[in-house]
Amino acid sequence: MITTADLKTALLDLLYEVQWTDIKFIVGGGYGIYLKTAHVRQIEARTLLQEWPEPRSTNDLDLFLRPELLIKSERLKPLADAIAKLGYQVVPGAENYQFMKPGSGGNVAGSLKIDILTGPQKRFEGTRVKADNRRAKPRPSVGIHAHPVDEAPTLDKGLLPITLDGSLSSGNRWEAEVFLPHPFTFSLMKLFAFRDQLEDANKEFGRYHALDLYTILATMTEDEWEYGLKLRDQNINEPFNAGAERLVTEYFSAHDRLGIIRLKESPYYRSELELEKFISALQELFAPRTRSYQEEY
């Protein structure tokens, strides 16, 4: 079983190998949420909600690359070299943007996976990068692609720097900086991921994404909340904002909506979680015409 300590070591190993480059990772997914939760606990920040779920397990690292790294692909050669050096293998069908390191004895069970992602496809218009729904493919090729996430148009806004300090696989200590997406961006991605998985039994019907959405909002600091409202207002006429508003209204606006039902079905759900405040905050952030939460926070 992959632990958070394993993920930290894997990420530090990768950061160590690219330390002399300008490659910076934006960490999303379950491990990004774990890092954010640990961060706000450490600094004892006031957060949007007081009750949080326990961190859920994950066996992968979702690493976002800034689009400019793909546009100037020669800058990614050290990353391709590092992934190969550290023993990762390409995932069939997702070559060059998903990589897996087999577990003990070469077993798939217990393997650790890296997903390489980036911002929306439109960021590559007019460049040499060939992008579609599945992958952004740099030219010339250096062995690294990235999966475009159209639901992350604000990927580079309000990033939170985090210092990782721990052991490399060699046993030596190392520290390096990574970045976390702003909760507004993180929530957008989780909303659309929930929509894509709510009927998929193999993906737990979106339960984990519903839980993640709660955790992302629950651990927002006051400054992040205020900046999130600014991002909402700056992008109020963008199609992704309208899509997010529909999803919140349809799935997360009341206790009998499917998103809240899925959240309650999660094995990490606890009755102490502040669902009413979560619903109100989510509506204020993405469906402000439904209800206002700003004065309550």
Side-chain angles (χ1 to χ4, degrees):
M1 177 180 177
I2 299 297
T3 67
T4 54
D6 296 328
L7 293 172
K8 178 189 275 191
T9 297
L11 184 51
L12 284 170
D13 283 345
L14 201 55
L15 289 162
Y16 180 82
E17 295 296 332
V18 299
Q19 63 181 292
W20 305 116
T21 74
D22 63 350
I23 296 171
K24 305 294 183 184
F25 295 128
I26 303 170
V27 184
Y31 189 59
I33 293 172
Y34 170 83
L35 290 178
K36 174 60 183 302
T37 303
H39 174 73
V40 293
R41 279 188 174 136
Q42 181 180 14
I43 66 174
E44 298 181 345
R46 185 183 179 214
T47 54
L48 197 63
L49 304 178
Q50 302 306 306
E51 295 292 338
W52 309 341
E54 290 299 315
R56 68 175 178 86
S57 61
T58 181
N59 72 335
D60 62 350
L61 293 170
D62 289 351
L63 304 180
F64 285 83
L65 299 176
R66 304 189 314 273
E68 54 265 33
L69 287 172
L70 295 156
I71 293 170
K72 297 183 178 180
S73 60
E74 67 276 4
R75 297 159 71 183
L76 287 176
K77 184 65 167 59
L79 177 58
D81 293 341
I83 287 174
K85 178 180 178 180
L86 292 170
Y88 289 91
Q89 304 170 3
V90 296
V91 174
E95 289 83 359
N96 295 340
Y97 68 90
Q98 287 186 357
F99 301 88
M100 180 188 70
K101 180 182 286 189
S104 178
N107 295 324
V108 174
S111 61
L112 190 152
K113 188 159 71 76
I114 293 176
D115 287 354
I116 306 295
L117 307 104
T118 190
Q121 295 178 62
K122 67 179 182 180
R123 296 286 292 272
F124 302 105
E125 293 176 357
T127 75
R128 299 181 67 186
V129 177
K130 183 179 180 181
D132 56 27
N133 291 334
R134 188 178 179 191
R135 70 177 71 221
K137 184 177 181 180
R139 294 178 179 174
S141 175
V142 293
I144 292 290
H145 300 168
H147 175 65
V149 181
D150 289 340
E151 296 81 23
T154 55
L155 179 64
D156 58 348
K157 305 297 184 182
L159 294 171
L160 176 66
I162 296 286
T163 298
L164 286 184
D165 180 5
S167 296
L168 300 170
S169 293
S170 65
N172 296 327
R173 300 290 297 183
W174 179 254
E175 69 173 39
E177 188 176 62
V178 296
F179 297 85
L180 304 182
H182 189 275
F184 180 87
T185 305
F186 226 152
S187 297
L188 271 176
M189 291 190 286
K190 287 298 177 181
L191 274 171
F192 286 95
F194 173 81
R195 176 203 63 186
D196 294 341
Q197 296 185 4
L198 64 88
E199 301 296 341
D200 190 342
N202 293 325
K203 299 294 185 178
E204 290 289 324
F205 300 106
R207 295 184 184 105
Y208 287 137
H209 290 310
L211 179 89
D212 287 347
L213 189 57
Y214 178 97
T215 306
I216 292 164
L217 262 70
T219 55
M220 283 182 78
T221 65
E222 291 183 87
D223 288 345
E224 287 174 333
W225 175 255
E226 293 301 326
Y227 189 65
L229 295 179
K230 290 181 181 179
L231 287 176
R232 177 203 68 190
D233 294 341
Q234 290 168 2
N235 296 279
I236 198 70
N237 295 318
E238 294 294 331
F240 72 82
N241 235 3
E245 181 175 349
R246 287 193 297 271
L247 292 174
V248 169
T249 301
E250 183 173 358
Y251 298 118
F252 292 95
S253 58
H255 284 263
D256 61 351
R257 300 290 181 165
L258 188 56
I260 301 300
I261 292 171
R262 292 284 191 261
L263 195 162
K264 290 179 179 179
E265 291 172 349
S266 166
Y268 296 90
Y269 174 75
R270 297 184 297 109
S271 60
E272 293 83 2
L273 298 186
E274 302 166 83
L275 292 186
E276 287 293 344
K277 290 183 178 180
F278 165 67
I279 290 169
S280 294
L282 195 59
Q283 288 177 312
E284 174 64 9
L285 201 55
F286 294 109
R289 289 169 291 186
T290 305
R291 188 173 179 182
S292 177
Y293 183 75
Q294 187 173 10
E295 295 180 358
E296 299 177 23
Y297 181 51

